[in-house]
Amino acid sequence: MRFVSPVLKHVAYPVLHHTGCLRRITPIGGYSVVNYHGVVPSDHSDPESFLDGNLVQPEVFRQQLQFLKAHYHIIHPDDFRARIEQGKPLPPRTVLVTCDDGLVNTLTDMLPVLQSERVPCLFFVTGASCSNNPGVLWYEELYHLMRIKPLNGLEQQLPTEDGTESPAPKSFQARWWSTVRRASRLDARARTDWMGLVRIYCGPTRSLQSERRWRLLNIAELKRLSEAGMSIGAHTLSHPVLSLGSEEEARREIRDSKIEIESALGRPVWAFAYPFGNSSTLGEREVRLAQEAGFTCAFLNVEHWGDGPSNLFVLPRIHVTKNTTLPEFAAHLSGLHTRLQRAVGG
Ligand SMILES: [Zn+2]
């Protein structure tokens, strides 16, 4: 949901939403999956506008859940699993609620809203949340470290896209993303070592002070989320851009995240979500590896997957962001947005 035409967002969708038209349209395939990345915690006083774009305010989250409850059938993740494993159709206008990454605010700030609205959610966490000291997402930490000062040659220790050094992109965000892609070519251990060098070079960052905003759930917190009745899925061990590493490393990231979370929680993990979850960060190899790892299904973070056949390992999701208005949310749920994009070849 990154780009929406301003006319659709500010004119067409509000009119269609307020007249109730959107609620009468059935989603493509009969059901929708919505995806969050957590909510803005109350102790987060230093908003970082770019990375914070993935989080929604708790009251907006509540409003969206209330809209779903009023107009859709929210399915429990276990029922979703049972139906797709048995090949049974989902009830009309079904919505599955999911959330990626496993930040601490999912337990401290998001769970209370889910509980008070009595809505179940499928949380996708990384292998880091099976440890006592999970730290923060490496690519978010890298963003803050690169903000302190340019890496000044440290990127050159990383593999390049095509073996040659190309000129650094001009904008900060493009430089950061290019570095994330290069570091994703390393295996997890080498990437951790390289991040250690960056940390020493750039010095401490004060931007990561809010634990609830940035830190990942530790094992005790993950167990609390699971014991609160929420479902847990896998999101790799270390959240790399999977398609850029070796096949062996991608297999390990996918398969071992299932094994580690299952052994930490003592429960089967049947669902997987691809990190970053779009066609520039995963390909057919990752889809095959998710299938081979024994998951029932795997989720994207986008609403359509090229022209390839849709199957249980490329399930589309509606990515809800800070800027998603309620009419826009309704337009995506109804499938109207995707139909319009397809009609204009977008
Ligand atoms: Zn993620």
Side-chain angles (χ1 to χ4, degrees), residues 181-256:
R181 287 180 64 88
R182 288 177 66 170
S184 289
R185 291 174 179 270
L186 298 173
D187 65 37
R189 179 171 295 188
R191 192 182 324 114
T192 302
D193 291 347
W194 181 79
M195 281 295 294
L197 295 177
V198 177
R199 221 172 274 132
I200 291 167
Y201 174 73
C202 293
T205 169
R206 287 163 40 82
S207 311
L208 297 165
Q209 269 178 342
S210 164
E211 280 223 323
R212 280 152 60 192
R213 167 62 187 91
W214 302 106
R215 184 167 68 72
L216 295 165
L217 296 165
N218 63 30
I219 179 62
E221 292 160 342
L222 177 63
K223 284 182 177 168
R224 278 167 55 200
L225 194 62
S226 170
E227 284 158 10
M230 298 294 138
S231 301
I232 309 296
H235 197 40
T236 69
L237 292 173
S238 71
H239 210 298
V241 177
L242 280 173
S243 58
L244 296 175
S246 68
E247 174 156 344
E248 188 191 348
E249 187 64 5
R251 180 180 292 110
R252 195 181 71 82
E253 284 279 350
I254 295 170
R255 183 194 57 202
D256 289 7

Side-chain angles (χ1 to χ4, degrees), residues 160-174:
T160 55
E161 297 269 340
D162 57 3
T164 58
E165 201 70 44
S166 41
K170 285 208 169 65
S171 84
F172 173 79
Q173 277 158 23

Side-chain angles (χ1 to χ4, degrees), residues 37 100-101 124 126 137 139 235 239 273-276:
H37 287 78
D100 284 3
D101 296 342
F124 290 98
T126 65
L137 288 164
Y139 58 91
H235 197 40
H239 210 298
Y274 303 97
F276 307 108

Side-chain angles (χ1 to χ4, degrees), residues 251 254-256 258-259 269 288-295:
R251 180 180 292 110
I254 295 170
R255 183 194 57 202
D256 289 7
K258 181 178 194 298
I259 295 169
V269 168
R288 171 173 53 80
L289 292 172
Q291 228 159 343
E292 287 172 7
F295 292 103

Side-chain angles (χ1 to χ4, degrees), residues 50 138-139 142-156 158-159 161 165-184 194:
F50 178 69
W138 67 271
Y139 58 91
L142 180 63
Y143 186 96
H144 290 291
L145 291 170
M146 288 177 71
R147 274 278 188 230
I148 296 173
K149 58 181 174 178
L151 295 186
N152 213 8
L154 275 172
E155 297 106 320
Q156 278 150 29
L158 298 172
E161 297 269 340
E165 201 70 44
S166 41
K170 285 208 169 65
S171 84
F172 173 79
Q173 277 158 23
R175 271 203 309 284
W176 163 73
W177 182 242
S178 157
T179 311
V180 170
R181 287 180 64 88
R182 288 177 66 170
S184 289
W194 181 79

